Amino acid sequence: MDKLKIIGGNRLNGEIRISGAKNAALPILCAGLLTAGDVELSNVPRLHDVRTMLKLLAATGLKVTQDDEKVTLNGAGIDKLEAPYEMVKTMRASILVLGPLLARFGEAKVSLPGGCAIGSRPVDQHIKGLQALGAEIHIEGGYIYAKCKKLKGTRIVTDMITVTGTENLLMAATLAEGTTVLENAAREPEVTDLAHLLVAMGAKIEGIGTDRLVIHGVEELHGAKHEVISDRIEAGTFLCAVAATGGDITLTNTRTDIFDAALDKLAEMGLTIMLNGSTIRAVMTGRPKPVSFRTTEYPGFPTDMQAQFMAVDAIAHGTSSITETIFENRFMHVQELNRLGAHINIDGKTAFIRGADRLVGAPVMATDLRASASLVIAGMAAQGETIVDRIYHLDRGYDRMEVKLSQVGANIERIRE
Ligand code: EPU
């Protein structure tokens, strides 16, 4: 298992190119299942999760052609309407094949994803929504078996706001008979990006970017070209890194209009942020100020940035509190940050942080994707050497993070095993 070796203390200076968004690319790749035409995608990030999704899609008979960040999909020869457990267990986003396969072919067999490190994460809302669209669904042997003649449009109100749930139902509804109204829909920019691709493929969708999506079903969708939006979480992670280490970095290939509450919180920490078209320049001098927040759905503070902010709060001048409202078990980085000398206590859904004057490097263990990013940030701010173990979590969602960070002056290297 690869590890990262970090010697802390370097300020960051220079330019980093931000990749396409993981959480936009994954549903967008699944949209290739909806048509027999070519779906030509660019700005697809080079990530382990993307490779896993392409493998899963290829196993259905979808033709995948890849040239670095360009991926072309052709769904003319799909003949296996299945997502097996071996693949789904490594990536929960595999559930996103369910809606498209069912809507286009009237049948799908997809393994139940099960729990994961950050919480139990059920998919009941995906199932409830597809049933409302007329699918017959039963669960047996850990698999979801779904069948329908033709999905029929209806009004669906999900119990909570769910990102992949909205995406699954949105994709399914594009090929349903009649009109579907998705109430309480997720408004994340990644959902919106998927909707834009679907429209380019011939789908009829109103209310894009709002919590009420109205989808008028069409007979079939055609091929399209689409550029995946920039990853706001990757960008936010590097902004946290510079807030922790100090320095002056410029992020390119970003989308400054899709940012959420995290940007304001970074400014509150003391980061000077300059937005200019698709670039973000961030300058940090001095010790960060503590910031407190609750995670919520977009455009509120994203749960996917919670761990990285906690690493900065851990060295801030003062105390702060962070409440996680989306996932029940997303504080696993706390123990590891405390190994580096942070003072963090958890009480239920809230972490209380007393900023430490300094962190000291130590061996730590990555437990999930964003927790890993938080340990990298803490390691860069700590004195001495930090070894982050189990970085396969990091590789799932960040394109060569250590390469990008060493380009701007961090002392960080991958130790291959
Ligand atoms: N939920 C249910 N039932 C459902 C669906 C969701 O109870 O049928 C609950 C979840 O357990 C959770 C909450 O609703 O407590 C919200 O979950 P959501 O469905 O929105 O999460 P997701 O779609 O599984 C996506 C991202 C996550 C991100 C969350 C929240 C992708 C592929 N994944 O997950 O990304 O944290 O939305 O914004 O888009 C990450 O990138 O590190 C990551 C975990």
Side-chain angles (χ1 to χ4, degrees):
M1 259 181 269
D2 289 3
K3 298 180 172 125
L4 286 181
K5 180 174 148 191
I6 304 166
I7 311 287
N10 287 10
R11 289 165 67 82
L12 302 183
N13 270 291
E15 202 173 284
I16 301 178
R17 181 183 175 275
I18 300 302
S19 300
K22 166 179 88 78
N23 290 346
L26 296 175
I28 279 174
L29 291 170
C30 294
L33 295 169
L34 286 165
T35 174
D38 278 352
V39 175
E40 294 173 53
L41 304 170
S42 55
N43 206 32
V44 177
R46 288 171 290 196
L47 307 173
H48 198 264
D49 271 6
V50 165
R51 286 190 283 277
T52 305
M53 185 59 91
L54 289 175
K55 248 191 245 167
L56 174 64
L57 294 172
T60 67
L62 186 87
K63 194 169 156 237
V64 177
T65 318
Q66 190 171 14
D67 175 13
D68 197 23
E69 295 190 335
K70 288 194 164 53
V71 174
T72 301
L73 305 170
N74 184 282
I78 294 169
D79 55 3
K80 201 145 197 305
L81 310 175
E82 203 179 312
Y85 176 63
E86 286 64 40
M87 291 190 181
V88 177
K89 75 174 182 203
T90 66
M91 188 182 63
R92 293 183 44 85
S94 313
I95 189 73
L96 286 164
V97 304
L98 179 61
L101 285 179
L102 181 67
R104 181 159 163 229
F105 300 100
E107 201 181 320
K109 175 185 171 191
V110 176
S111 171
L112 272 172
C116 78
I118 62 176
S120 64
R121 299 179 80 182
V123 290
D124 56 310
Q125 301 302 307
H126 303 234
I127 293 173
K128 174 181 126 168
L130 292 172
Q131 281 172 330
L133 289 168
E136 278 173 38
I137 297 186
H138 76 278
I139 292 166
E140 201 180 302
Y143 276 84
I144 304 168
Y145 291 83
K147 256 193 166 155
C148 67
K149 280 219 174 64
K150 175 100 180 147
L151 293 176
K152 288 205 169 52
T154 186
R155 177 170 178 265
I156 301 168
V157 189
T158 48
D159 295 3
M160 79 287 290
I161 299 173
T162 154
V163 173
T164 50
T166 301
E167 292 163 345
N168 231 340
L169 298 175
L170 172 62
M171 288 191 276
T174 58
L175 292 179
E177 206 177 284
T179 297
T180 302
V181 180
L182 287 182
E183 307 269 12
N184 210 17
R187 293 183 290 160
E188 269 65 5
E190 294 74 24
V191 178
T192 296
D193 200 37
L194 168 68
H196 287 314
L197 165 67
L198 293 171
V199 168
M201 292 167 70
K204 297 203 160 40
I205 307 170
E206 294 162 20
I208 294 176
T210 75
D211 61 359
R212 186 169 191 269
L213 295 170
V214 179
I215 305 113
H216 306 288
V218 295
E219 269 301 308
E220 57 177 26
L221 296 176
H222 50 72
K225 278 190 185 175
H226 183 78
E227 182 183 327
V228 175
I229 49 161
S230 168
D231 197 320
R232 68 192 159 106
I233 306 298
E234 188 196 18
T237 301
F238 291 131
L239 293 175
C240 280
V242 74
T245 63
D248 182 347
I249 63 167
T250 299
L251 307 180
T252 62
N253 194 38
T254 62
R255 275 276 299 271
T256 53
D257 58 323
I258 59 172
F259 264 91
D260 43 62
L263 210 55
D264 288 346
K265 286 286 164 194
L266 283 160
E268 213 178 301
M269 276 178 160
L271 203 64
T272 304
I273 300 169
M274 290 156 268
L275 306 180
N276 184 8
S278 63
T279 64
I280 301 179
R281 182 171 165 212
V283 180
M284 182 75 180
T285 48
R287 192 169 166 186
K289 297 186 187 76
V291 296
S292 299
F293 57 87
R294 298 167 66 84
T295 60
T296 55
E297 294 85 4
Y298 187 84
F301 193 98
T303 174
D304 291 345
M305 285 302 305
Q306 179 255 107
Q308 300 89 314
F309 266 71
M310 197 182 291
V312 189
D313 269 341
I315 52 160
H317 189 59
T319 58
S320 53
S321 66
I322 297 179
T323 303
E324 171 60 51
T325 73
I326 307 290
F327 292 112
E328 71 266 28
N329 193 26
R330 213 175 193 181
F331 277 148
M332 282 166 307
H333 40 286
V334 167
Q335 296 284 4
E336 302 300 302
L337 289 172
N338 283 347
R339 285 177 53 73
L340 297 172
H343 308 296
I344 309 171
N345 291 306
I346 302 172
D347 184 7
K349 290 178 166 190
T350 303
F352 296 93
I353 304 121
R354 180 163 54 82
D357 290 337
R358 60 179 198 142
L359 299 181
V360 178
V364 286
M365 190 91 86
T367 47
D368 71 72
L369 169 56
R370 309 304 172 186
S372 317
S374 127
L375 296 176
V376 171
I377 293 168
M380 290 195 307
Q383 286 175 3
E385 180 182 291
T386 295
I387 302 285
V388 185
D389 201 352
R390 301 204 177 164
I391 55 157
Y392 58 86
H393 291 293
L394 198 71
D395 292 333
R396 288 186 53 184
Y398 289 94
D399 178 10
R400 300 159 306 139
M401 183 188 256
E402 77 285 5
V403 174
K404 292 189 180 188
L405 283 171
S406 48
Q407 274 165 6
V408 293
N411 187 338
I412 177 169
E413 67 173 306
R414 180 179 292 254
I415 305 168
R416 294 194 185 274
E417 283 196 3

